[in-house]
Structure formats: C-alpha cells, structure tokens
Amino acid sequence: MALPSAGPEAQNALFENHSESEHVPPTLKRAVLRMQFPPSYVLVGVYRLFTDKNLYKPAWDKCKHATRRGAIVGSIWAALTFSIQKKFIEIFLSNSPRITGLSRDDTVFGYHVPFSLYTYATIMILGSQVTYILRFFLSRNIRIARDRAWDQTVASRGKGPDFWQPYVEEWETPPNLNLETKQDKLIKKWLGGWFGLFVVKRVLLSPFQVYPFVGMVVSAWFKALGTSRFLHQRYFQAKKMTDKEIAVFMQERKWDYRIFGFTAALLEGIPIIGLVFTVSNRVGAAMWAHDLEKRQHYIAEERGRKKN
C-alpha cells in the first residue's frame, strides 16, 4: 500500500481508496466520516456531558460544593464593583478610541450596535473576574472531574489500556521539522508554561475582550493549537509519544487540530459557563483520540499485510 505524502486530503484518500476493502471494519468507516469535521467532536462532547448520567453526575458531585462557594463570592464581588468598573471603562474607552475602535456613541469602527458598549465591556471583564474566582475554588476538583470524564468516555467505548499502541507514522514522507535547540526548548518551556499562558491570555489578548463577540473569536484563534494539544495530552501520554512524534503528528493534521482547538477554545472562552465546557471538551477530545487510534491500528495492520 502506498502511503500518502501530501496534506490532509491525501490522508482522507488513504481511507477513501480502501473504504470498500474487506479489511476496513464498518466502525472505521464511520470514524473517517467524523474525522472529516473535527469540530463535531466538541459538539458531541457537550451533548454527551449533558445527557450521559455517567459523565455529568460524577463531575457535578465533585464540583458542586466549590461551585456554590465560588458563585457566592463572585456574586458579591460583581455587585460591589460593577458601577466602579463601568465608570473606569467609560473613562478609558472614551479617551482612547483610536486604540480600541470604540467611541461614545456606541459604535465599533464606525458601525452602530444595539447595546451599550460600556455595559458590554464591563460585563465581559466582570465575567472573566468571576470565572477566576470560580476557578480558584474549583482548581483541584475540576482537574479531577476532567480526568474522570476522559476515563469514563474511553471506558464507554469498551477500550482498555492495551488499546493505545505505539505511534505509527501514517505518511510515506512525513513533514521535515527542524530539531529544537536547547535555547528553543527553554523558550518553549517558558512560553508554554503557566507564565506564557498568562502573558498571552491575560495581557496580550485582554484588550480584545471589549470588542463585542469579535474578541472571543480572536482569542480562540490564537489559543487554538495550544488548546488542542492540551486536550490530547492524555492521548499522547497513553501512546508514549516523544516530543518529535507529537510535533509531526500535529503538523500532519495541522488544520484539523487548529479548527478543533478553535471551537473548543471558543466555548471555553465564554465567561463562567466556559468552565463547564472545559469538562465537555475532554469528552470530545477522548472520542476523537479513540477514532485517531483506530486509524493508527488500521495503518499498522495494512503495513503488516504488505510485509507478509
């Protein structure tokens, strides 16, 4: 079997050319259809979390007490500071229209909007602050809930630890990625850690919060690849993949990972309820990992037949 050496279209062709083969099980055919639209896994993850008792009940039981405490503190904070923050935003935005694209007459880059931009910006910033408060109370419990959601999703597919097999290169000519130097790795460690995430999300992207809807989209686009890699961290660990294998694997599916991560980050960026989507995204990521792994098995089997 000649493996493709081009982009995503060639990957799909690999399965389209063999879709009628007796070696391809029906479940893999359905998986190929799902993988053609990666954001579907995000949507299915939301659906499953809200409808599957085995998923939402353990998550809520783990997080409900911390959520209530955080909601009380966040509500008090919002009630006490709303007027003050709105006044500050009015002064800041009205004095810097060239930077923000906003003006006193409720326009964005000259276009009128049907609501007060000052009120919108205040609500968005307050929503982010309340989200921080909730995240502080939930920090440990929500991590446990996410891990359990992943484990339960994998278990629901009837797969055990032996399902995750060693990495198999799917392309005949994989992308030629330059090896990182020690300096590159150090920079990546800082930028990819909590400090880098703080700088990108809370400093560089924070001005976009005042733009109605546009800010959420821009922020999600910048966070797309990082979000998708984070959501598949458990998958890469289960396969014991090296950093180079992860980089090649994601590069071969660059746009799949980008659009999946964009959709996931967009939902997670919604103030307050975005915390719920951080759990549902683990469900969707686990389902996508399951289908990707089935494709890895298929490649390994086809290569074994070719050798024999």
Side-chain angles (χ1 to χ4, degrees), residues 59-72 134 137-138 141:
W60 175 242
D61 288 343
K62 190 64 183 177
C63 298
K64 60 183 178 182
H65 296 300
T67 300
R68 289 166 183 167
R69 291 193 295 269
I72 293 173
L134 286 169
F137 283 93
L138 285 166
N141 290 348

Side-chain angles (χ1 to χ4, degrees), residues 9 13 19 27 43 86 107 111 119 141 161 167-168 244 303:
E9 295 81 3
S19 60
T27 53
L43 303 179
K86 184 179 179 182
T107 62
Y111 294 96
T119 301
N141 290 348
Y167 171 71
V168 177
K244 182 178 180 181
R303 284 182 172 169

